[in-house]
Amino acid sequence: MGYVTSLFARKIVAAAGGGVDAAAMLASVGIAPDDPWNAGRMVSAERYYDMLEEIADQIDVTDLPLRTGASMRLDEYGALGLAFKAATTLRASYARVERYARLWTSVVEYELRPEAGGTLFILHREGERRLGMRLSNEATLASAVSIARQVAPVPLAPVEVLVRHPAPRSITAHEDWFGCPVRFGADLDAIFYDNETLARPNILGDEGISKYLTKHLDAEMAEITQEPALVSQAKTAIAQALSEGAPKMAEIARSLGLSARSFHRRLSEHGVNFQSLTEETRRDLAEGLLRDESHSLAEIAFLTGFSEQSAFTRAFKRWVGTTPASYRKDMTHR
């Protein structure tokens, strides 16, 4: 359905410390403990949220997103981290994230939005606001401030941090770490900065290096926006098999003339796995069928591999944050 960089998963497990089985947690998202750290390696967003919820079952996670954000280092973010560092101002740094965040994730988009007295750096993420997503959003906001502090010439604090979901039992740790008021239950997930802070020169800003890295990032973006042939073929095969239930990886691999092992390896090379690809295909197919009013909801559930309409409804709400019936109604009024 979507992906996030494995760096996020590794960092949050490390921040959880000895209270969880790190190897088991990483294995749940497909990472072996001895795998090299690589920001370009992706994991399923849904499995990532599952992992966060499993951690929350084992330890107090109130300040886990903050500890995770504090541990982020720009040098670990690959070319985009270097471009953030080389940008001449903090506003220019965040503009790099706004433009190139697809290199880190397919489930989040960022926006710099001018407001009276400053600018909002907004995190947009669709889907059901389950616990795993809420923890991920908090960690993302903390990370955005953490990396900003690494390029700031003076101590940095936002004017305010906005979080859409309800507050945890205590927000003292949040306000202490961000150094500003944190408003939960807001309309947006965002960080509000005054314009003076965003206009300050970065300590390592270099226009020449920044332009060079921007060209490199443009090339990386071009690569990921062109869906590889294998991924496209696999999605077609999965879509054709869904009416018979959830497809098995070995069956799809066989239809493409590959062994299951080779198929898994080649998908990994493109930063995806079979489970996330199946979820993405199901979602795309469901959205397309819902735009066609000739299919009933029960038929769409069957065609997307669900044995019961209720299971389809739960999955669709998890994907897009609304029910299939509401989605169809919204589409017909557009």
Side-chain angles (χ1 to χ4, degrees):
M1 171 180 164
Y3 61 81
V4 299
T5 171
S6 58
L7 176 65
F8 297 162
R10 286 186 175 277
K11 284 288 188 175
I12 212 152
V13 169
V20 301
D21 183 335
M25 291 297 171
L26 293 175
S28 72
V29 294
I31 302 173
D34 56 351
D35 284 348
W37 286 54
N38 177 6
R41 164 85 182 276
M42 301 297 158
V43 299
S44 160
E46 288 297 321
R47 291 173 72 182
Y48 176 55
Y49 302 151
D50 289 342
M51 184 194 78
L52 293 177
E53 289 165 7
E54 190 171 347
I55 291 174
D57 284 340
Q58 298 179 29
I59 65 171
D60 180 357
V61 294
T62 303
D63 68 346
L64 179 62
L66 307 175
R67 289 186 279 119
T68 301
S71 73
M72 292 295 182
R73 296 293 176 269
L74 280 168
D75 291 344
E76 297 169 328
Y77 279 91
L80 183 47
L82 295 176
F84 190 100
K85 188 187 296 187
T88 53
T89 65
L90 183 57
R91 183 183 297 277
S93 293
Y94 278 137
R96 299 289 189 276
V97 176
E98 180 182 38
R99 180 174 177 182
Y100 298 111
R102 185 71 188 276
L103 297 173
W104 291 342
T105 176
S106 68
V107 295
V108 176
E109 293 183 354
Y110 297 92
E111 176 191 358
L112 281 168
R113 181 186 298 175
E115 294 284 335
T119 298
L120 287 166
F121 180 65
I122 305 171
L123 180 163
H124 296 288
R125 188 184 323 230
E126 293 184 355
E128 180 187 7
R129 305 192 79 75
R130 52 187 286 194
L131 176 59
M133 181 187 286
R134 299 198 302 268
L135 291 170
S136 179
N137 283 349
E138 288 184 34
T140 300
L141 293 171
S143 298
V145 171
S146 179
I147 60 177
R149 286 171 173 163
Q150 292 168 47
V151 300
V154 296
L156 176 146
V159 175
E160 186 179 31
V161 172
L162 309 175
V163 187
R164 281 179 59 187
H165 58 261
R169 292 188 302 274
S170 170
I171 64 169
T172 301
H174 291 73
E175 294 193 331
D176 285 349
W177 192 86
F178 283 109
C180 68
V182 179
R183 177 154 54 95
F184 285 85
D187 294 332
L188 295 167
D189 292 301
I191 304 162
F192 185 57
Y193 287 104
D194 61 65
N195 289 323
E196 180 184 354
T197 297
L198 291 175
R200 252 183 227 123
N202 288 339
I203 54 176
L204 294 175
D206 186 298
E207 186 66 36
I209 294 175
S210 182
K211 288 181 178 178
Y212 168 78
L213 289 169
T214 297
K215 291 180 181 178
H216 182 74
L217 291 170
D218 284 335
E220 285 194 31
M221 283 289 287
E223 288 181 12
I224 67 168
T225 52
Q226 296 173 358
E227 187 170 76
L230 174 68
V231 174
S232 179
Q233 292 165 5
K235 288 172 73 173
T236 299
I238 291 168
Q240 292 171 344
L242 279 171
S243 60
E244 298 178 6
K248 293 181 170 57
M249 184 172 71
E251 295 170 352
I252 299 300
R254 192 179 309 115
S255 74
L256 299 173
L258 297 168
S259 68
R261 184 168 184 167
S262 294
F263 183 46
H264 174 75
R265 175 178 54 77
R266 290 183 60 183
L267 286 178
S268 296
E269 290 171 357
H270 297 301
V272 297
N273 59 55
F274 183 71
Q275 181 180 350
S276 63
L277 197 61
T278 300
E279 286 282 282
E280 181 179 334
T281 304
R282 274 179 149 170
R283 173 179 173 169
D284 291 347
L285 182 59
E287 290 180 353
L289 292 171
L290 285 167
R291 296 187 189 101
D292 180 356
E293 294 191 23
S294 65
H295 294 287
S296 70
L297 296 183
E299 288 173 331
I300 295 173
F302 171 75
L303 291 170
T304 51
F306 292 92
S307 59
E308 297 179 357
Q309 185 178 327
S310 58
F312 167 60
T313 298
R314 288 193 298 272
F316 193 84
K317 188 173 182 181
R318 187 178 75 246
W319 294 335
V320 300
T322 190
T323 64
S326 296
Y327 181 87
R328 170 170 274 176
K329 185 178 179 180
D330 290 343
M331 290 297 105
T332 58
H333 286 88
R334 287 188 180 182

